[in-house]
C-alpha cells in the first residue's frame, strides 16, 4: 500500500509542500482572488502581478494539505517570468492531466515538476486540492487582463 | 486481543458485527475495513437491507392513493414505520412524526414555516433567534436565511476552551426577545453532549420555541422527546443504521398545528379548489408529494434493530470505545483532541489535529491502511474557527466498533507521523 502512497506523495511534492516557494502576499499586484475548496475548506488567496503580458509575480497565502500547498509552489515556479501566452500550454496540460483520471500520459517537457501530481489525478478526492491554486491563477489572470483593457 | 475484555462493550460484539455485511469486505490490497466514519453515515445491518429489498420485490406501490392490495400493503408498511419511529423517540402521538428527506430538510422545514408564520409564532424585527457556535451548517444556515427574511437577529452561545457550550451569558442571550432556541444535542465535531433539557427550561421560561438537532444524539442516546424539552426535534435516517433519503421531524402537536404548510402538493391537502385549498392534518400536512416510501420502511427496520439491542447498551458501548480511543490518541505525539477529554459527557465523534500534518494527508495515509475517517471541516466551520483551525481529522465509532479497530487507528496514526518524517 505504501507504494500507492509513494506515488501520490512523491519527494518533489513533499519537498515543495515544505518549502512553499513564492508564498506570502506581495505588492504590487493587479488582481487578487480568493478561492476555496468547499468540500474540505482549503483556501488560497492569490495575487498576480502582470507587466505587459509578462507574469512578474504570483504571490499567495494558502491553508491546505500537502498536495494543494505543493501545487501552488510548483505552479509559481513554473509560471513566474513567462508571458501569459507562454504559460497557457502549461496550464492546459496540467488541467488535462488532473482531469484525465490518471489516463493521460503527462508531457514532462511541458509540465516539468508538475508531472509529480499525476498520482493525485488518480484520486478523485485530491484533484481539487491540486487544482485549487491553478484555478485561482486563471481567475486572477482573467481579471487582470480585463482591467487592463478598460 | 486483551482489549476485548473492556467492561461496557456490547456483549456479543462479533454477532452484531456479523449483522453488517459491509464490515466483512476488504479494501485495496486485501486490507480489512476499519470503518471509523459513522458520524458521517452509519453502516446498515442486513435486516434493513432485506426489509427494503422485500418491500421493493413484493409490496411496491404508491401510498395513500392506490386502491389495490399492493397499495394497501405499501401504505401499511409506510405507516408502520411511522409507528416504529414514534416508539423510538417516545413521541406522545404518531401523528407528530413527519418524514422528511433528511435532518437538513427537517430543520429547513421548521425555519421556513416559522418565517412564514402569522400570529403567535410570527417572527419579525426585534425578535431574536439563538443558536450555538458548535452547530452543523444545517442548523446555522436555515436560521441565517430566516433572520435575513424576517428582520430578526441571530445570536449564539459561544464555546469554552474545552469544547462545551459557554452558558455564562445565558441570561443575556435568552431573553423575552428570544423566539427560538435551536441547538444540537450532540456535536458532530466536538462530540460534546449538551444540557438540552436545562437550556430548554430556560427558553420556555421566556416563551421561546426549542428546536433540537438530534442527528448525532438519536444514534447513540436514548431519546425521549418530551423529557428532552424540545418543541421540535430533527434527526436523519442514515446515521441510525437506516438508509439515506429519509429524515424525521418530530414536533409537539400544538406547534405543528400552528405552523403553515411547507411544500404544497399531493397528500398535504384536504381539498383543493382553484380559489384556494385547505390542508390535511399532521403529519400529512408536511408531507407533500410521494414520500420516500422504501426509505421510511428501511428506517422503521433500523430503529427497531437499535431498540432491540437497546440504546442504553449502545450508549455504554460508545462511551467505552470513546474512553479507549481518547487514551489511545493521547499516546500519539503532537496530537490534540478538539473537544471534551472526558468520555462521560461526549459522544463517539473525536476530532483532532496532528502537528505538522494536514488532516487531508492524515486521512489519505489512514485510508491506505484501511482506516476510514473524515477530514475537513465536517460542516462545522464556525466551530473549527473557534479553535483556530481550518479543518480536522475525525474518527467516529458506533455500535459495531471494536477496541482492535481503535488500536489500528492509533497504529496508523503513528505510521502517518513516520511517513511524513515527524519522528
Ligand atoms: C449534528 C448534525 N446535524 C445535521 C446533520 C445533517 O444531516 P443530513 O445531511 O442527513 O441532513 C448532520 C450530519 O451530517 C449532523 O451531524
Amino acid at each position: 500500500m505504501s507504494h500507492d502512497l509513494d506515488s501520490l506523495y512523491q519527494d518533489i511534492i513533499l519537498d515543495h509542500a515544505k518549502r512553499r516557494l513564492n508564498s506570502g502576499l506581495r505588492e504590487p499586484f493587479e488582481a487578487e482572488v480568493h478561492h476555496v475548496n468547499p468540500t474540505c475548506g482549503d483556501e488560497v488567496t492569490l495575487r498576480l502581478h502582470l507587466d505587459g503580458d509578462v507574469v512578474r509575480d504570483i504571490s499567495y497565502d494558502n491553508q491546505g494539505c500537502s498536495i494543494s500547498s505543493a501545487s501552488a509552489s510548483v505552479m509559481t515556479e513554473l509560471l513566474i517570468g513567462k508571458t501569459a501566452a507562454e504559460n497557457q500550454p502549461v496550464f492546459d496540460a496540467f488541467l488535462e492531466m488532473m482531469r484525465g483520471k490518471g489516463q493521460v500520459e503527462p508531457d514532462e517537457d511541458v509540465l516539468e515538476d508538475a508531472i509529480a501530481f499525476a498520482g493525485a489525478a488518480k484520486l478523485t478526492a485530491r484533484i481539487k486540492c491540486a487544482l485549487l491554486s491553478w484555478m485561482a491563477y486563471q481567475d486572477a489572470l482573467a481579471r487582470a487582463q480585463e482591467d487592463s483593457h478598460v | 486481543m486483551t482489549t476485548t475484555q473492556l467492561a461496557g462493550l456490547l456483549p456479543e460484539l462479533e454477532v452484531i458485527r456479523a449483522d453488517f455485511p459491509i464490515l466483512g469486505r476488504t479494501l485495496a490490497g486485501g486490507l480489512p475495513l476499519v470503518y471509523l466514519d459513522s458520524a458521517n453515515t452509519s453502516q446498515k445491518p442486513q435486516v434493513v437491507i432485506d426489509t427494503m429489498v422485500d418491500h421493493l420485490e413484493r409490496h411496491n406501490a404508491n401510498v395513500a392513493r392506490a386502491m389495490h392490495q399492493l397499495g394497501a400493503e405499501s401504505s401499511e408498511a409506510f405507516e408502520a414505520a411511522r409507528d416504529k419511529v414514534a416508539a423510538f423517540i417516545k413521541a406522545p402521538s404518531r401523528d407528530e412524526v413527519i418524514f422528511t428527506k433528511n435532518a437538513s430538510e427537517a430543520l429547513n422545514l421548521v425555519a421556513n414555516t416559522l418565517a412564514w408564520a402569522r400570529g403567535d409564532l410570527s417572527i419579525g424585527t426585534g425578535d431574536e433567534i439563538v443558536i450555538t457556535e458548535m452547530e452543523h451548517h444545517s442548523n446555522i444556515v436555515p436560521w441565517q436565511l430566516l433572520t435575513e427574511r424576517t428582520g430578526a437577529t441571530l445570536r449564539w452561545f459561544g464555546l469554552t476552551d474545552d469544547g462545551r457550550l459557554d452558558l455564562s451569558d445565558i441570561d443575556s442571550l435568552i431573553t423575552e426577545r428570544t423566539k427560538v432556541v435551536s441547538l444540537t444535542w450532540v456535536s458532530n465535531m466536538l462530540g460534546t453532549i449538551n444540557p438540552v433539557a436545562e437550556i430548554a427550561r430556560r427558553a420556555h421560561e421566556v416563551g421561546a420555541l426549542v428546536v433540537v438537532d438530534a442527528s448525532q444524539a438519536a444514534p447513540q442516546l436514548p431519546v425521549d422527546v418530551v423529557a428532552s424539552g424540545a418543541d421540535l426535534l430533527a434527526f436523519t435516517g442514515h446515521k441510525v443504521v437506516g438508509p439515506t433519503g429519509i429524515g424525521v421531524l418530530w414536533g409537539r402537536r400544538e406547534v405543528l398545528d400552528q405552523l403553515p404548510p411547507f411544500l404544497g402538493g399531493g397528500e398535504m391537502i384536504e381539498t383543493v379548489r382553484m380559489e384556494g385549498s385547505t390542508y390535511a392534518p399532521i403529519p400529512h400536512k408536511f408531507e407533500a408529494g410521494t414520500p420516500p416510501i422504501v426509505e421510511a420502511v428501511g428506517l422503521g427496520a433500523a430503529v427497531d434493530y437499535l431498540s432491540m439491542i437497546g440504546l442504553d447498551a449502545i450508549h455504554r458501548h460508545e462511551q467505552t470505545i470513546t474512553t479507549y480511543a481518547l487514551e489511545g490518541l493521547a499516546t500519539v505525539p503532537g496530537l490534540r483532541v478538539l473537544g471534551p477529554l472526558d468520555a462521560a459527557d461526549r459522544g463517539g465523534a473525536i476530532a483532532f489535529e496532528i502537528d505538522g500534518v494536514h488532516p487531508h494527508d492524515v486521512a489519505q495515509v489512514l485510508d491506505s491502511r484501511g482506516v476510514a475517517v473524515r477530514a475537513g471541516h465536517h460542516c462545522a466551520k464556525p466551530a473549527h474557527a473557534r479553535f483556530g483551525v481550518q479543518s480536522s481529522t475525525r474518527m467516529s465509532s458506533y455500535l459495531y466498533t471494536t477496541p482492535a479497530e481503535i488500536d489500528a487507528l492509533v497504529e496508523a496514526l503513528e505510521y502517518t507521523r513516520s511517513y511524513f518524517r515527524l519522528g
Side-chain angles (χ1 to χ4, degrees), chain B residues 77-415:
Chain B
F78 179 70
E79 292 302 331
R82 199 187 307 278
D83 292 328
K84 291 171 199 273
V85 170
F88 181 66
I89 58 176
K90 301 197 169 55
S93 160
R94 66 181 308 279
D95 295 339
E96 296 173 339
V97 173
I98 292 154
F99 286 127
T100 63
K101 184 171 67 174
N102 48 33
S104 303
E105 191 186 54
L107 293 164
N108 277 278
L109 185 162
V110 174
N112 277 272
T113 55
L114 276 170
W116 301 328
R118 298 279 166 270
D120 281 357
L121 294 181
S122 80
I123 293 173
T125 318
D127 292 334
E128 294 179 352
I129 310 291
V130 177
I131 60 173
T132 87
E133 209 175 1
M134 68 166 79
E135 298 309 311
H136 187 280
H137 296 166
S138 295
N139 200 29
I140 299 176
V141 183
W143 301 111
Q144 290 175 336
L145 291 170
L146 171 139
T147 50
E148 280 163 22
R149 287 167 183 162
T150 58
T153 305
L154 187 65
R155 305 186 64 192
W156 51 88
F157 285 103
L159 307 181
T160 63
D161 289 340
D162 64 347
R164 293 169 215 272
L165 287 183
D166 178 1
L167 298 175
S168 60
D169 52 356
I170 190 166
D171 290 327
S172 58
L173 267 174
I174 299 184
T175 68
E176 66 289 348
R177 289 186 298 279
T178 311
K179 281 299 186 106
V180 179
V181 177
S182 185
L183 79 164
T184 192
W185 190 334
V186 178
S187 159
N188 68 313
M189 173 205 166
L190 302 163
T192 323
I193 301 179
N194 290 320
V196 166
E198 166 63 12
I199 294 169
R201 195 179 57 73
R202 301 293 288 269
H204 286 148
E205 279 171 11
V206 299
L209 275 184
V210 175
V211 182
V212 172
D213 177 358
S215 299
Q216 296 292 344
Q220 52 179 325
L221 297 177
V223 173
D224 177 330
V225 286
V226 175
S228 78
D231 296 294
L232 298 143
L233 179 143
F235 69 97
T236 198
H238 65 95
K239 296 190 206 272
V240 291
V241 308
T244 56
I246 184 87
V248 171
L249 173 68
W250 169 84
R252 281 200 301 118
R253 178 186 289 277
E254 305 85 274
V255 177
L256 293 176
D257 281 344
Q258 275 188 72
L259 287 171
F262 179 42
L263 303 176
E267 235 70 80
M268 53 78 69
I269 50 94
E270 185 180 58
T271 183
V272 175
R273 287 174 300 109
M274 293 315 287
E275 296 73 28
S277 304
T278 53
Y279 310 117
I282 59 166
H284 302 292
K285 170 179 160 186
F286 293 108
E287 293 180 355
T290 299
I293 301 166
V294 69
E295 290 80 0
V297 170
L299 177 61
V303 298
D304 268 4
Y305 177 83
L306 293 183
S307 301
M308 179 196 76
I309 293 169
L311 265 295
D312 284 315
I314 292 172
H315 180 48
R316 200 156 47 241
H317 179 82
E318 284 276 75
Q319 286 198 312
T320 307
I321 291 287
T322 304
T323 306
Y324 187 69
L326 285 168
E327 284 166 14
L329 293 174
T331 66
V332 180
L335 186 147
R336 174 168 79 116
V337 168
L338 305 164
L341 293 174
D342 179 0
D345 34 11
R346 65 172 1 275
I350 306 177
F352 55 86
E353 43 161 17
I354 297 183
D355 262 356
V357 197
H358 190 277
H360 236 175
D361 296 319
V362 175
Q364 189 85 55
V365 178
L366 295 192
D367 184 52
S368 78
R369 314 276 280 191
V371 180
V373 296
R374 184 163 172 189
H377 51 62
H378 321 309
C379 301
K381 280 192 115 176
H384 279 83
R386 162 64 180 81
F387 290 97
V389 296
Q390 173 225 16
S391 59
S392 62
T393 309
R394 181 185 71 183
M395 67 135 276
S396 51
S397 56
Y398 204 17
L399 74 164
Y400 37 65
T401 305
T402 66
E405 290 182 300
I406 302 299
D407 294 342
L409 167 72
V410 172
E411 224 172 84
L413 288 170
E414 296 285 5
Y415 175 74

Side-chain angles (χ1 to χ4, degrees), chain B residues 44-66:
Chain B
K44 321 302 172 199
Q46 192 69 53
V47 63
V48 168
I49 300 165
D50 289 350
T51 302
M52 293 175 74
V53 169
D54 179 64
H55 186 87
L56 291 172
E57 282 181 350
R58 298 175 41 82
H59 310 291
N60 180 56
N62 209 332
V63 292
R65 40 176 118 155

Side-chain angles (χ1 to χ4, degrees), chain A residues 1-2 5-6 8-9 11 14 18 37-43 63-67 123 125-126 129, chain B residues 28-29 31 358 360-362 364-365 367-369 374-378 381 389-391 415 419-421:
Chain A
M1 278 324 289
S2 60
L5 270 190
D6 292 345
L8 174 65
Y9 295 116
D11 286 340
L14 293 181
K18 274 225 171 65
N37 177 352
T39 31
C40 64
D42 282 6
E43 303 189 18
Q63 281 202 354
C65 61
S66 57
I67 304 297
L123 296 162
R126 304 314 288 269
C129 309
Chain B
L31 290 172
H358 190 277
H360 236 175
D361 296 319
V362 175
Q364 189 85 55
V365 178
D367 184 52
S368 78
R369 314 276 280 191
R374 184 163 172 189
H377 51 62
H378 321 309
K381 280 192 115 176
V389 296
Q390 173 225 16
S391 59
Y415 175 74
Y419 190 84
F420 289 106
R421 301 176 192 126

